[in-house]
Amino acid sequence: MSRTSRPLTTTDWTAEARRIARGRRVGEVGSAPSRQGAGPAAPLSESEIREAEAELGIAFPDEYRAYLRRQDAGSAVNRLCRSTEGWGWHGDSDTNYDLLTTAFPHPDSYRAHEDELNGREPLTQDFPDHEAYQAAFEQWDAEYEVFQERRTAGAVFIQDNGCGFSTLLVVTGPHRGSLWFDGRATCDRILPLDLGGQPVSFTDWLARRSMDLLGW
């Protein structure tokens, strides 16, 4: 099937991309946590953790819950706190809160779809004029944006590793509690962190660098 003869989609991907993007928080949580202020963060109480879980619609992995209870939830780990927008992670504008309750997808589950999506990127020579090409490209680009956003569904961007890299903590689905490395800035891959051939626990990860737990 050629690019121009494929079935037409009825999805308005531009509208869907705008809807999905609203799940990110760029303002309040990233700038002014109301409970802890600018100083060191105190451990959270059990009632606060339960309140956050109820509001976000998720259950934190056990080791992460224990971490929130026993020590500063700031430092290199994005701090869970309450702001005027509700509970969220201070300094994080990448987690999609609307997708937190959706199971995190293993990369193997979408690899074929990603190849298919890449394979039908619109090319100028397949369209009669620039306007038709531009309209097709905008829809494809929006669909690709939605696809990229869904790749981190059910996960929290728990640490910024610099240069566009981040560490993800999975909070929903069969991979709940595992940690992954968002390396899309260079290799367009999301990779599992590994310690001796086993998934890395949150506690083990705290004592190490994400870069040292990659098999690339």
Side-chain angles (χ1 to χ4, degrees):
M1 183 179 293
S2 69
R3 295 173 186 269
T4 54
S5 63
R6 66 180 181 274
L8 295 176
T9 179
T10 57
T11 302
D12 183 347
W13 288 109
T14 302
E16 180 65 5
R18 286 197 297 264
R19 186 190 71 79
I20 291 285
R22 287 196 290 269
R24 293 191 179 202
R25 298 183 187 175
V26 181
E28 296 293 340
V29 169
S31 60
S34 61
R35 178 185 182 273
Q36 287 104 337
L44 298 181
S45 67
E46 180 64 24
S47 63
E48 287 174 314
I49 293 172
R50 289 180 180 176
E51 179 185 307
E53 289 178 318
E55 183 180 305
L56 296 168
I58 58 177
F60 298 134
D62 291 344
E63 291 191 4
Y64 180 59
R65 292 181 101 260
Y67 170 77
L68 294 174
R69 286 291 308 273
R70 72 174 181 262
Q71 63 183 27
D72 183 349
S75 66
V77 181
N78 288 336
R79 180 193 308 172
L80 178 66
C81 58
R82 184 172 49 216
S83 77
T84 56
E85 285 193 16
W87 284 97
W89 287 270
H90 178 56
D92 165 39
S93 61
D94 292 315
T95 296
N96 193 307
Y97 289 74
D98 290 348
L99 296 178
L100 278 179
T101 58
T102 301
F104 176 78
H106 191 284
D108 290 347
S109 70
Y110 55 71
R111 191 161 288 124
H113 174 61
E114 182 176 17
D115 290 342
E116 185 272 336
L117 185 56
N118 285 328
R120 56 182 171 83
E121 178 180 355
L123 302 176
T124 54
Q125 60 264 32
D126 292 332
F127 296 87
D129 52 51
H130 179 72
E131 288 73 18
Y133 161 74
Q134 189 66 31
F137 183 83
E138 287 177 0
Q139 280 293 305
W140 177 87
D141 191 52
E143 183 181 358
Y144 198 83
E145 181 180 336
V146 170
F147 166 71
Q148 290 292 347
E149 199 74 6
R150 288 174 175 167
R151 289 175 72 178
T152 58
V156 174
F157 283 72
I158 201 70
Q159 184 182 69
D160 182 352
N161 299 117
C163 300
F165 300 127
S166 296
T167 300
L168 306 173
L169 171 64
V170 177
V171 295
T172 306
H175 305 289
R176 179 174 171 269
S178 62
L179 290 118
W180 296 67
F181 187 76
D182 184 356
R184 289 177 292 177
T186 57
C187 66
D188 198 32
R189 296 171 66 194
I190 294 176
L191 303 160
L193 298 188
D194 176 277
L195 184 62
Q198 299 296 322
V200 179
S201 71
F202 185 81
T203 301
D204 286 338
W205 169 74
L206 284 174
R208 294 167 173 83
R209 296 174 63 250
S210 294
M211 287 287 194
D212 296 332
L213 297 167
L214 290 169
W216 65 5

